[in-house]
Amino acid sequence: GENVEQHPSTLSVQEGDSAVIKCTYSDSASNYFPWYKQELGKRPQLIIDIRSNVGEKKDQRIAVTLNKTAKHFSLHITETQPEDSAVYFCAASVIGSARQLTFGSGTQLTVLP
Amino acid sequence: ETGVTQTPRHLVMGMTNKKSLKCEQHLGHNAMYWYKQSAKKPLELMFVYSLEERVENNSVPSRFSPECPNSSHLFLHLHTLQPEDSALYLCASSQVAENYGYTFGSGTRLTVV
């Protein structure tokens, strides 16, 4: 089955700096890669996703890049703000399958004011 | 609310009790999921229901028993739990063919005493 590894487990950055979280996956059939943000005491919420037919996707301060050959994808947050502090999860799955998303172990991002 | 409602939000139960967690989705999705989230651990898939059929049971102990009476409702029946079962239990739904990611409920914070 799929295995998703996520690094780092914790990340602290100064407000205004950029943050990068990286994930690798094992199943070459995976073609859908979402990222979730979970604030303390709240549900995970989808913030951005990418499908394997593109290499990069951007939404304001958030971007995701995908390298299918190397089987890794990354989340980039620019101009970080204190409200970006949360746990971020990457995931991988195959579109059209009822198989579950396989999640990474999460990254606790802290943005220091 | 995101369209996925979980009740109760908090539950404290003794090891000999029987209780049920409820999840309801109003999004017209055709797949529903139970995840367990423990402190400092990845999201652990427990059960997957697609079109009301259980398609995956991820080696979950029999003290957890899921039920999916229709595509909008999902239950998790609990009995004779152990203290290590204390965790946040998250329900999610998705539209399999579209695979735009999961929509999570707010979760039930379960404490077994």
Side-chain angles (χ1 to χ4, degrees):
Chain A
E2 176 66 277
N3 181 47
V4 177
E5 295 192 358
Q6 182 172 346
H7 300 280
S9 57
T10 60
L11 177 61
S12 293
V13 299
Q14 289 295 135
E15 182 177 357
D17 287 350
S18 296
V20 180
I21 302 170
K22 298 181 179 180
C23 289
T24 60
Y25 62 99
S26 61
D27 188 352
S28 57
S30 290
N31 55 8
Y32 176 68
F33 307 93
W35 286 87
Y36 288 83
K37 175 184 180 182
Q38 187 176 25
E39 297 177 62
L40 189 64
K42 297 189 176 180
R43 68 173 67 87
Q45 291 189 281
L46 178 69
I47 56 171
I48 195 168
D49 56 13
I50 191 168
R51 299 190 178 201
S52 60
N53 57 346
V54 297
E56 184 174 0
K57 184 176 178 180
K58 189 173 182 180
D59 182 5
Q60 299 182 348
R61 296 186 297 108
I62 295 173
V64 56
T65 58
L66 171 65
N67 183 327
K68 282 185 61 180
T69 303
K71 294 207 281 274
H72 66 70
F73 56 112
S74 300
L75 177 71
H76 305 254
I77 306 174
T78 59
E79 301 172 25
T80 53
Q81 300 167 4
E83 52 264 38
D84 294 329
S85 296
V87 178
Y88 291 81
F89 294 96
C90 63
S93 75
V94 177
I95 294 174
S97 168
R99 283 193 58 80
Q100 75 284 8
L101 285 172
T102 300
F103 286 89
S105 54
T107 296
Q108 173 68 63
L109 173 65
T110 303
V111 179
L112 305 169
Chain B
E1 290 295 337
T2 61
V4 179
T5 304
Q6 286 187 246
T7 55
R9 293 293 302 272
H10 301 273
L11 178 62
V12 179
M13 60 186 288
M15 290 189 283
T16 58
N17 291 160
K18 289 184 179 181
K19 296 287 184 182
S20 295
L21 310 184
K22 179 182 177 182
C23 178
E24 184 174 359
Q25 60 97 359
H26 308 278
L27 302 169
H29 288 168
N30 58 11
M32 297 186 77
Y33 313 81
W34 279 117
Y35 277 85
K36 176 183 178 182
Q37 188 175 34
S38 305
K40 300 184 178 180
K41 284 188 175 181
L43 286 160
E44 300 173 59
L45 177 72
M46 300 178 73
F47 302 104
V48 179
Y49 277 83
S50 177
L51 299 174
E52 302 160 36
E53 289 190 28
R54 190 191 309 180
V55 297
E56 189 142 349
N57 175 346
N58 218 21
S59 302
V60 178
S62 59
R63 58 186 184 269
F64 295 92
S65 175
E67 178 188 2
C68 186
N70 55 60
S71 60
S72 299
H73 293 85
L74 184 65
F75 295 90
L76 188 63
H77 304 299
L78 317 171
H79 65 98
T80 59
L81 294 191
Q82 304 298 312
E84 58 265 29
D85 296 322
S86 299
L88 180 67
Y89 289 84
L90 288 162
C91 172
S93 70
S94 73
Q95 186 65 16
V96 171
E98 301 295 331
N99 210 1
Y100 286 118
Y102 293 359
T103 300
F104 282 92
S106 298
T108 295
R109 174 67 64 185
L110 173 67
T111 304
V112 181
V113 296

